[in-house]
Amino acid sequence: MGADLVTVSVDSIEVHLAWQRHEVGLKNVKYSMGSDQSGAVSQMFGVYDDEAGKCLRGSFIISPEGKLLSSEMNYGDVGRNIDELMRKFKAYLHVSKHPVKACPSKWKDEGDATLEPGAKLVGKVFKEDGTY
Amino acid sequence: MCCDCENNEDLISLALGDEVPDFTIKTYEPTKGDFGEFTLAKTMEAKRWTILFFYPGDFTFV
């Protein structure tokens, strides 16, 4: 879909290799597994937990122009919904191709209802965003 | 904005809409079974998007 997915933790690349080869659920992994042992990149994105010396659970979407468009961070042991991350990515891709369109919360994929912000939409979002 | 994260004590993390400073990290590439590198500038050159997914540690859940 035109994106490079990189997972990042403070583990070494050797440990990434060992984990990927031994954990059955990671058998078909296609993404790059990044190692940020110094924590520098994690700090830049505000997801470095100094006390634990580890990354928090954080997801970021960066445009091809290098702009940070989306961030999600969870403290503690609550996992993320990958479907929501992919939905947001697809929505940003859609909006980037159709600059006047906006993707509302219920937008899931190409063909779903989009919004055109403007005077005509005021007070009528509920009719247009797929809620009713 | 943070330009030299390794030497900057007063780290300011990125805000939405910011240009992300270039960075490179070492990677393990499961599709090649080999080690590699990810550099933001190279992905931008290829006009590709980047999705970063930070997690606390290997052998845990995401």
Side-chain angles (χ1 to χ4, degrees), chain A residues 18-90:
Chain A
W19 183 36
Q20 193 267 325
R21 289 194 184 167
H22 288 90
E23 183 107 19
V24 177
L26 299 180
K27 202 175 155 194
N28 297 315
V29 162
K30 304 252 187 321
Y31 47 76
S32 304
M33 302 172 81
S35 167
D36 184 32
Q37 284 188 286
S38 73
V41 176
S42 314
Q43 282 172 355
M44 186 164 92
F45 284 89
V47 290
Y48 191 72
D49 180 349
D50 281 315
E51 239 169 74
K54 291 175 178 177
C55 306
L56 300 173
R57 292 187 170 81
S59 311
F60 300 90
I61 300 173
I62 303 168
S63 74
E65 291 76 36
K67 196 185 245 194
L68 181 61
L69 295 182
S70 173
S71 74
E72 178 186 351
M73 288 180 226
N74 297 344
Y75 184 81
D77 293 325
V78 172
R80 282 154 287 179
N81 185 330
I82 307 300
D83 293 340
E84 169 60 4
L85 180 61
M86 287 303 119
R87 186 197 75 84
K88 280 194 285 196
F89 168 60
K90 283 185 199 169

